[in-house]
């Protein structure tokens, strides 16, 4: 199947059939529309897509102050002119009827319009009052992987350098924090070593719990094109339910939720037993590590003493290849099959694929691995498979973590907007790192506190305890996305103050004390960083509606009102480039070198490290990475603490925090779908996407539905120990769960599945597990 045909099929859903070109008349009409658009008096600019972490290039056509059209950017190396169904409808998300247009202050049960000066003065006063009365730990800002580099950098500098607080967190803690801790624990540097060219060069693509056909369709189309051109290419789908990705797979491997740890260890067991470990690569490039493994000592962060403050810290120690052999001895195919439900033959087949030195293997994962009570461990084990076989840092052979937000990499991971991080992999806990930040920011020594701030889950718990008094939420919707939402039920007037900057009303703006209207996407200048380390810049194309302002501007103006104008010493009408170049100075000479502002203006983005004007496609690889001085092979030069070698971690199987029982006999998994993005606050205002999928539903296995006396469209209630939600049933839809399992998407603000989910979290990354808890299904 050709890439374009695949994308047309994905687009051919109710309400978006115009992109399916289902007959000649449709094709001619679309061609005529494109010609008319091309001939129109439009001003075209380049930008990355606003949605997922793929970073597709788009061309934006504007006229009379309004975005009139988009088209896939054929010059973009990411998507080469193609877009998914959400990308084709980008302009519409800007023009919903209920767009927020001016600051609004809560007035009893309603709202009153106020000026920007009044709003900014109020925010500054609230933060200053909280600092004076309660100290730096009582203030917080919660952003996202949708923050631009400017937004995240301004927030981090203001908080850490101005208010001396590390309570800076993004919603990306909920989606890719386990990938961060996975890379950091193994390479002491974050982010993948490969790039999207792996999709043309690889032979075997193994999806670990990753419905790539729907979640990253443009990238999946590149794999399908490779499969068409190179018929020996294989796709292996490891999953807990059948999805559109399964339909294209050469092998579908269904495993019991949470048993992927056992499965990965079982594959390694067979690699060692069959002599398929690359011993010379391991001897030259690998060390072995082990951490705390006692389940009682670790817990899950949601029960007992850990229910309010989950502060577990791992204690790494050295290990060895011999210890790995002994550790894996118990993970026999028979035992792993019993735990996971995967037939022994499929476990052996997976080991054969990873162990075949003549074929390139690319492992791909996203939320299925990251949103996991042992997400860091699972990241480690997937990368272990590549380190043991030497299939890493070379074209077509890499572990490749995919991301869900447009700048979860560029802003969260690279700028460092997690509570413990600074730019370029630096952390607040290390004195030398703090000193470098203080030097670049022109601050006295000792300004930045060494104690990390609250991670997301603890931040919201601290807010509900009253320890965090003032919080600013930007570009995200936590009163929809936080698991076990009951724990953060909030009524305004409780003595705390919440500011929310957004483009539309959401359940989060409903609980706010002050709402600030934000500029969106090409209504302001921005920089995003995508999954493959590509930094991309765009210029403002149109003015925002009403009085909306970009998030970074809002932050800078509040900082100035608090007497912190020294943090942002640039001209008010020309601050984007100097701010970016200051941020860039953190990255230079460290193997994290991002491209210059001028280079980004002239290109469709560049893959860091960028040295002497050249991007790096493969990190740590001789002949590709300028920091590698070896003539051939790899050099994990960032891992100074490991002797510049990568770490293979020994990580055992632990059961999930909650499993089905007689009272709650079904597994619940949550996630996204093709048509909608995250909480739907943008995509549900696009008529075509909303018409295609107007509301959330629960996927039920046909046999289970028959047993329950339920058919598609019937109303059912999904009930857990924490809450319930009423939804229409869907039987034999695109997703097909096995018996004893159900799936609910989370895009619907009117049907909050996170009132049902469990707030268990990973022991290292502190990322919550949205993928498995126990529920029962009742007829409504």
């Amino acid at each position: 199947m050709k890439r374009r045909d695949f994308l047309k099929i994905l687009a051919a859903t109710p309400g978006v059939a115009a992109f399916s070109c289902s007959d000649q008349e449709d094709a001619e009409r679309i061609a005529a529309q494109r010609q008319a658009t091309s001939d129109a008096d439009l001003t075209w600019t380049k930008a990355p897509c606003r949605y997922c972490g793929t970073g597709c290039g788009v061309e934006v056509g504007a006229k009379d102050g309004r975005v009139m059209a988009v088209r896939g950017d054929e010059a973009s190396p990411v998507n080469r002119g193609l877009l998914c169904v959400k990308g084709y409808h980008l302009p519409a998300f800007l023009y919903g009827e209920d767009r927020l247009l001016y600051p609004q202050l809560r007035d009893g049960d309603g709202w009153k319009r106020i000026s920007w000066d009044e709003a900014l003065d109020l925010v500054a006063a609230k933060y200053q009052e909280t600092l004076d009365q309660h100290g730096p730990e009582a203030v917080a800002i919660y952003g996202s992987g949708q923050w631009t580099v400017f937004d995240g950098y301004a927030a981090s500098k203001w908080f850490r350098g101005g208010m001396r607080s590390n309570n800076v967190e993004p919603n990306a803690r909920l989606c890719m924090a386990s990938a961060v801790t996975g890379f950091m624990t193994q390479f002491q540097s974050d982010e993948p070593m490969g790039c999207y060219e792996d999709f043309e060069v690889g032979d075997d693509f193994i999806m670990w719990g990753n419905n790539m056909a729907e979640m990253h369709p443009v990238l999946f189309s590149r794999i399908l094109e490779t499969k068409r051109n190179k018929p020996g290419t294989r796709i292996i789908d490891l999953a807990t339910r059948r999805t559109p990705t399964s339909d294209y797979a050469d092998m579908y491997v269904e495993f019991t939720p949470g048993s992927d740890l056992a499965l990965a260890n079982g594959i390694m067991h067979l690699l060692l037993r069959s002599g398929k470990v690359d011993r010379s690569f391991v001897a030259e490039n690998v060390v072995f590590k082990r951490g705390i493994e006692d389940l009682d000592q670790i817990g899950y962060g949601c029960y007992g003493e850990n229910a309010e403050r989950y502060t577990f810290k791992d204690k790494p120690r050295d290990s060895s290849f011999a210890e790995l052999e002994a550790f894996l001895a118990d993970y026999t195919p028979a035992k792993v099959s019993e735990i996971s439900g995967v037939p022994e033959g499929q476990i052996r087949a997976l080991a054969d694929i990873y162990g075949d030195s003549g074929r390139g293997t690319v492992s791909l994962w996203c939320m299925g691995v990251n949103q996991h009570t042992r997400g860091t461990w699972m990241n480690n084990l997937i990368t272990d498979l590549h380190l043991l076989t030497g299939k890493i840092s070379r074209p077509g052979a890499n572990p490749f973590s995919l991301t869900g937000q447009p700048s979860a990499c560029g802003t969260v991971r690279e700028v460092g907007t997690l509570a413990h991080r600074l730019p370029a992999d630096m952390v607040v806990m290390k004195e030398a790192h703090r000193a470098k930040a203080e030097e670049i920011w022109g601050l006295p020594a000792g300004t930045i506190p060494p104690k990390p701030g609250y991670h997301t889950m603890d931040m919201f718990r601290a807010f509900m305890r009253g320890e965090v008094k003032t919080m600013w939420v930007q570009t995200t919707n936590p009163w929809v996305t936080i698991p076990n939402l009951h724990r953060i039920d909030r009524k305004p007037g409780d003595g705390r103050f919440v500011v929310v900057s957004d483009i539309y009303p959401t359940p989060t703006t409903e609980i706010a004390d002050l709402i600030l209207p934000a500029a969106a996407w090409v209504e302001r200048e921005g920089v995003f960083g995508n999954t493959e380390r590509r930094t991309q810049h765009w210029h403002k194309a149109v003015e925002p509606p009403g009085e909306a302002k970009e998030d970074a501007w809002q932050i800078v103006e509040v900082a100035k009102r608090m007497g912190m104008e020294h943090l942002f010493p640039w001209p008010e009408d020309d601050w984007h480039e100097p701010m970016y170049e200051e941020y860039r100075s953190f990255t230079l000479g460290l193997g994290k070198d991002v491209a210059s502002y001028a280079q980004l203006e002239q290109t469709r983005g560049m893959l860091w490290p960028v040295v002497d004007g050249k991007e790096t496609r493969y990190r740590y690889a001789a002949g590709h990475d300028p920091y590698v001085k070896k003539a051939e092979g790899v050099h994990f030069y960032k891992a100074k603490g490991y002797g510049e070698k990568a770490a293979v971690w020994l990580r055992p199987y632990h059961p999930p925090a909650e499993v089905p029982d007689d009272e709650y006999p079904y597994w619940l998994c949550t996630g996204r779908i093709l048509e909608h993005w995250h909480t739907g606050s943008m995509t549900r205002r696009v008529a075509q996407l909303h018409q295609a999928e107007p509301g959330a539903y629960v996927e039920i296995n046909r046999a289970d539905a028959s047993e329950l006396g339920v058919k598609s469209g019937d109303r059912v209630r999904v009930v857990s120990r924490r809450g319930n939600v009423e939804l229409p049933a869907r039987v034999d839809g695109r997703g097909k769960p096995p018996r004893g399992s159900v799936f609910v998407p989370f895009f619907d603000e009117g049907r909050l599945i996170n009132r049902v989910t469990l707030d268990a979290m990973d022991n290292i990354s502190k990322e919550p597990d949205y993928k498995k808890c126990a529920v029962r299904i009742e007829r409504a």
Side-chain angles (χ1 to χ4, degrees), residues 282-467:
V282 169
E284 183 179 354
N285 300 294
V286 169
V287 298
F288 295 87
K289 294 289 180 178
R290 202 164 182 174
I292 296 173
E293 297 170 5
D294 180 68
L295 178 57
D296 291 334
Q297 188 174 353
I298 297 170
Y300 295 105
C302 56
Y303 299 120
E305 293 181 0
N306 289 331
E308 277 299 317
R309 297 174 175 86
Y310 187 49
T311 57
F312 170 83
K313 292 184 179 179
D314 203 13
K315 295 180 180 179
R317 67 171 178 84
D318 292 338
S319 185
S320 66
F321 189 86
E323 191 172 13
L324 175 68
E325 286 185 297
F327 169 82
L328 291 173
D330 195 38
Y331 288 94
T332 63
K335 180 173 180 178
V336 171
S337 180
E338 181 181 355
I339 294 171
S340 67
V342 177
E344 291 186 38
Q346 286 193 324
I347 300 170
R348 296 182 188 278
L350 288 166
D352 287 342
I353 292 169
Y354 276 106
D356 188 341
S357 61
R359 293 175 65 87
T361 304
V362 180
S363 298
L364 295 150
W365 69 95
C366 199
M367 298 306 102
V369 166
N370 294 337
Q371 293 175 337
H372 193 311
T373 52
R374 298 294 180 264
T376 303
W377 289 11
M378 196 57 220
N379 272 266
N380 290 157
L381 293 180
I382 293 172
T383 301
D384 284 353
L385 291 167
H386 287 265
L387 288 169
L388 291 173
T389 56
K391 292 185 175 185
I392 193 166
S393 289
R394 68 179 207 235
N398 282 298
F400 208 131
S401 161
L402 300 174
T403 47
Q405 297 188 84
S407 204
C409 290
T411 302
V412 174
R413 300 163 79 162
E414 294 159 25
V415 171
T417 59
L418 292 155
H420 66 296
R421 281 173 76 90
L422 292 163
D425 285 339
M426 295 191 293
V427 293
V428 300
M429 298 87 77
K430 292 189 176 182
E431 183 178 1
H433 294 179
R434 297 194 306 275
K436 180 171 182 177
E438 288 161 351
E439 179 184 1
I440 291 174
W441 289 345
L443 302 173
T447 298
I448 300 172
K451 179 183 176 182
Y454 291 113
H455 62 78
T456 292
M457 298 301 292
D458 276 0
M459 178 180 284
F460 281 90
R461 293 174 184 180
F463 175 78
M464 294 308 296
R465 292 194 301 267
E467 294 168 12

